[in-house]
């Protein structure tokens, strides 16, 4: 297919371009900063620098271009979000950016649209050990500023899955980890013992960045229009256990431990790190024919070490 990929300079962008090209697709990659152009070109994509929030500029940049599908990976997070304000720009991309890309999809003649969604759309909190599926309510009304994020994820999915001009698919990714997904930052922080953990943390669904990319290609090719899929690995794990296991694999000092009440000043980070969220990937396995190459964080952590210059390239 001829694929228009928006958000190509984000965490999943480069591995996704590489896997789309490996599957035989032609990729035009939208990015905002000039720094991503060389990497996208080297990966085999045609780079297109434009701001998707500027609809006239976006449509002008696409003049004369035709395509079969649009993939949205729109986010605006240079680091893992810790506060509500860290998500403000991403919320706008999920609402206005999605709307502009749907107009762009119609303009280029695309019939498929795959959008990035998120497992935290199920809600922020502790689900008491229940494993959530795509049949559970998505983006229920939230409290306080959490409603801002839920409303943005709700809008994103409603727009795409309810579109009449394209077959829309939503991918509810777990938390990303792996090379390129803040992997170098994580490794450096763990080595220097600057990544503390909390005593009592809840579990979250995770997915290796490469597995997220393969799932996206599978959804592009085989996803059912109007469907959402949980893209997570087989074993949810707490931040604390993930960081502790990473330190062990790196041969780094055991992380410092702090009480969870210290997170009270950052309600968003507290909700993520102390809540309990589990999600099933059964639908993605059955309908997309996808399975994670790294089924658990213990399998995938080794890729962080291999990608770490201090390891000498060996896990």
């Amino acid at each position: 297919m001829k694929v228009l990929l928006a958000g190509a300079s984000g965490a999943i962008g480069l591995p996704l371009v590489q896997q789309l090209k490996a599957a035989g697709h032609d990729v035009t990659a939208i990015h905002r900063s000039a720094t991503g152009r060389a990497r996208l070109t080297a990966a085999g994509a045609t780079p297109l620098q434009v701001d998707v929030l500027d609809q006239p500029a976006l449509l002008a940049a696409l003049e004369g271009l035709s395509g079969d599908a649009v993939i949205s990976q729109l986010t605006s997070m240079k680091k893992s979000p810790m506060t509500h304000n860290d998500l403000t720009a991403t919320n706008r991309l999920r609402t206005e950016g999605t709307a502009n890309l749907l107009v762009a999809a119609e303009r280029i003649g695309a019939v498929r649209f795959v959008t990035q969604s998120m497992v935290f759309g199920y809600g922020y909190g502790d689900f008491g050990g229940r494993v959530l599926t795509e049949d559970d309510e998505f983006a229920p009304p939230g409290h306080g500023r959490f409603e801002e994020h839920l409303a943005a994820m709700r809008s994103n999915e409603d727009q795409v899955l309810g579109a009449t001009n394209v077959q829309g698919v939503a991918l509810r990714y777990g938390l990303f980890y792996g090379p390129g997904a803040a992997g170098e930052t994580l490794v450096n922080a763990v080595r220097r013992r600057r990544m503390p953990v909390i005593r009592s943390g809840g579990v979250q669904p995770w997915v290796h960045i490469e597995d997220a990319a393969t799932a996206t290609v599978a959804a592009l090719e085989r996803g059912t229009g109007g469907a959402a899929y949980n893209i997570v690995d087989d074993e949810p794990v707490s931040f604390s256990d993930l960081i502790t296991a990473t330190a062990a694999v790196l041969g780094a000092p055991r992380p410092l431990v702090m009480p969870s009440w210290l997170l009270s000043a950052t309600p968003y980070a507290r909700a993520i790190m102390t809540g309990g969220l589990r999600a099933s990937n059964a639908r993605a396995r059955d309908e997309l024919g996808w399975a994670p190459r790294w089924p658990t964080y213990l399998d995938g952590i080794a890729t962080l070490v291999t990608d770490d210059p201090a390891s000498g390239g060996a896990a």
Side-chain angles (χ1 to χ4, degrees):
M1 304 182 205
K2 292 182 179 179
V3 179
L4 180 66
L5 171 61
S9 56
I12 192 175
L14 192 60
L16 181 53
V17 167
Q18 293 168 335
Q19 293 195 32
L20 285 167
K21 293 297 295 183
H25 302 295
D26 182 67
V27 182
T28 297
I30 294 177
H31 62 105
R32 284 190 300 179
S33 66
T35 56
R37 175 178 293 272
R39 291 193 304 161
L40 292 170
T41 301
T46 300
L48 181 64
Q49 186 175 356
V50 65
D51 184 354
V52 298
L53 293 175
D54 186 342
Q55 188 185 107
L58 174 62
L59 297 181
L62 297 175
E63 187 67 34
L65 185 72
S66 64
D68 303 302
V70 173
I71 298 177
S72 172
Q73 296 290 350
L74 294 176
T75 59
S76 183
M77 292 180 283
K78 296 181 180 179
K79 60 178 183 178
S80 297
M82 297 295 289
T83 69
H84 288 296
N85 288 339
D86 290 339
L87 284 171
T88 299
T90 293
N91 289 341
R92 188 181 176 201
L93 287 170
R94 286 172 171 162
T95 53
E96 296 177 41
T98 299
N100 290 344
L101 282 178
L102 283 166
V103 174
E106 186 170 17
R107 179 68 60 89
I108 67 174
V111 296
R112 301 278 286 170
F113 194 111
V114 179
T115 192
Q116 179 187 118
S117 191
M118 182 70 179
V119 291
F120 286 117
Y122 290 113
Y124 298 88
D126 191 343
F127 288 83
R130 188 163 61 90
V131 179
L132 302 177
T133 74
E134 294 84 353
D135 293 327
D136 283 287
E137 182 181 8
F138 187 79
H143 299 288
R145 293 200 64 184
F146 288 101
E147 171 58 17
E148 297 175 20
H149 319 316
L150 291 165
M153 289 184 276
R154 189 185 309 131
S155 172
N156 173 39
E157 288 208 9
D158 285 349
Q159 289 184 72
V160 173
L161 300 184
T164 57
N165 61 310
V166 291
Q167 296 174 342
V169 177
L171 300 182
R172 298 170 182 171
Y173 296 111
L175 293 166
F176 290 154
Y177 76 101
E184 182 180 352
T185 302
L186 173 64
V187 166
N188 288 338
V190 170
R191 283 194 179 281
R192 290 168 174 76
R193 216 182 185 197
R194 294 177 179 173
M195 185 68 73
V197 299
I198 60 175
R199 290 197 181 98
S200 54
V203 299
Q204 300 84 27
W206 295 77
V207 64
H208 192 282
I209 195 72
E210 295 285 349
D211 283 331
T214 59
T216 306
V217 176
L220 171 71
E221 297 173 346
R222 297 184 291 279
T224 301
Y229 298 92
N230 294 333
I231 305 302
V232 299
D233 67 17
D234 295 343
E235 183 180 347
V237 65
S238 68
F239 277 93
S240 299
D241 286 346
L242 181 78
I243 299 305
T244 301
T246 301
V249 172
L250 289 171
R254 190 173 180 85
L256 297 171
V257 179
M258 66 179 186
S260 59
W261 61 262
L262 286 176
L263 292 171
S264 298
T266 54
Y268 183 83
R270 180 183 176 88
I272 296 298
M273 297 181 74
T274 62
L277 177 60
R278 295 169 170 82
S280 168
N281 60 22
R283 178 179 291 180
R285 286 177 175 272
D286 293 343
E287 296 186 14
L288 303 182
W290 170 82
R293 178 181 176 187
W294 293 278
T296 78
Y297 71 102
L298 292 174
D299 302 306
I301 282 175
T303 64
L304 291 176
V305 184
T306 305
D307 199 50
D308 174 29
S311 72

